[in-house]
Amino acid sequence: MKQSKLTHGSLFSGIEGFGLGAAFAGIKTLWSCEYEDYQASIIKKKFGENHEINRDIRTYSNPTFVDIISGGFPCQDISVAGKGVGIVGERSGLWTEMYRVIREVRPKYIIIENSPMLLIRGFERVLCDLSEIGYDAEWQCLSGTDFGIQQGRERLYCIAYSCEINSKRSIQESIFRKPYLSGQYTRVYPGWRTRQSIPSPRFAGKSNELPDRVDRTECIGNAVQPIIAHYLFEVGSINSIFYFLHKAAEPFNCLEQDNLA
């Protein structure tokens, strides 16, 4: 794997789907922020006991600088399954804490994940907040089925970058490309393209005696698919944003990439 000098920090990390996607793209994750105990234990297991995890974004302040911050702030007040209060709700309102950390760190790039309903329940607030501190943004709705994954769950993905860096882009076109699977995964995922083509799941109940069954199912259901996260990191590094903008930006110090623990 080609190692990148870009670094990554993750908010609302879950089981660190963004972190795994970054690792696939050769980008090191320096820190995570996750409130739930089980999810934090998975991050430690996959990224090592010494990996920095803050447990509460409300008290997380001035983390180490990273080039990219990712985060899927809570969607319970935004999604169709919720009460529809929107971004001002108690849980989805934690966007304000993510925004605070972004202001403190001032990363080169930001990746945001949420329900597509955010587009009508508060996305203008996100865009205005980012614009106030000098970021431009592009966004796209993607589903696991776009990548042949057995999960018909559409999500909104937004990539933001500083206005200064954007002005130095040599190619003024969308950073998003048609979803694709990297070569090493084409034989793993058979290519489900619609919700109707996804086969019915096999039943798994208490008698299966799977450890932490409920926690594991919840984590997988809420997680960002690493394959999609990899696409978000890689599509830029190949075509535009993370490659052209990084080259155009002024030199800055960053840590060398290590192998994932």
Side-chain angles (χ1 to χ4, degrees):
M1 179 192 300
K2 185 177 181 180
Q3 304 300 301
S4 170
K5 290 185 177 182
L6 294 173
T7 55
H8 168 241
S10 171
L11 301 171
F12 306 103
S13 304
I15 54 176
E16 204 52 276
F18 270 125
L20 289 176
F24 294 161
I27 298 171
K28 184 177 179 62
T29 298
L30 299 188
W31 45 260
S32 306
C33 184
E34 174 52 43
Y35 184 78
E36 299 293 340
D37 292 337
Y38 181 77
Q39 286 86 327
S41 72
I42 296 298
I43 296 173
K44 287 287 188 181
K45 180 179 179 181
K46 296 299 183 182
F47 287 79
E49 287 297 323
N50 294 326
H51 181 74
E52 179 185 336
I53 304 179
N54 187 278
R55 299 301 305 281
D56 192 339
I57 192 171
R58 295 168 297 182
T59 61
Y60 199 21
S61 181
N62 294 308
T64 302
F65 173 81
V66 289
D67 301 294
I68 308 164
I69 287 181
S70 70
F73 62 93
C75 66
Q76 287 87 345
D77 300 310
I78 294 169
S79 70
V80 293
K83 296 181 179 180
V85 180
I87 202 170
V88 297
E90 181 180 0
R91 300 190 71 175
S92 297
L94 287 173
W95 157 251
T96 59
E97 298 295 342
M98 180 174 180
Y99 176 52
R100 175 184 57 79
V101 173
I102 290 170
R103 291 200 317 268
E104 292 173 351
V105 176
R106 294 299 179 113
K108 303 290 183 183
Y109 324 109
I110 304 156
I111 304 177
I112 298 169
E113 178 266 351
N114 212 281
S115 164
M117 291 300 292
L118 178 63
L119 290 171
I120 60 173
R121 292 178 177 171
F123 194 45
E124 70 281 0
R125 166 79 177 276
V126 173
L127 295 178
C128 286
D129 285 345
L130 292 173
S131 178
E132 282 185 359
I133 58 173
Y135 287 91
D136 291 329
E138 299 182 33
W139 56 93
Q140 184 178 37
C141 289
L142 296 168
S143 170
T145 54
D146 293 325
F147 297 83
I149 301 171
Q150 190 177 354
Q151 186 187 55
R153 180 173 179 256
E154 189 176 51
R155 305 297 285 174
L156 172 68
Y157 295 95
C158 173
I159 297 180
Y161 38 85
S162 75
C163 298
E164 179 183 0
I165 292 178
N166 188 30
S167 67
K168 298 178 181 178
R169 290 174 67 178
S170 58
I171 299 179
Q172 293 295 327
E173 60 181 25
S174 174
I175 61 176
F176 289 101
R177 298 292 183 268
K178 182 178 179 180
Y180 63 89
L181 278 175
S182 295
Q184 65 265 44
Y185 306 119
T186 54
R187 296 185 180 181
V188 179
Y189 297 96
W192 295 287
R193 289 297 177 184
T194 65
R195 185 182 291 271
Q196 289 73 27
S197 68
I198 298 177
S200 299
R202 292 174 293 178
F203 176 77
K206 184 177 180 181
S207 60
N208 293 94
E209 297 182 352
L210 294 174
D212 303 310
R213 173 68 183 179
V214 175
D215 288 328
R216 292 172 65 183
T217 301
E218 180 185 14
C219 288
I220 293 171
N222 290 332
V224 172
Q225 285 281 353
I227 299 300
I228 299 178
H230 182 204
Y231 159 80
L232 294 170
F233 287 109
E234 189 180 64
V235 72
S237 64
I238 290 176
N239 292 306
S240 54
I241 190 81
F242 298 142
Y243 179 77
F244 288 110
L245 301 193
H246 180 59
K247 292 296 185 183
E250 295 296 326
F252 54 88
N253 293 326
C254 52
L255 301 179
E256 293 296 327
Q257 168 72 25
D258 297 322
N259 291 328
L260 180 65

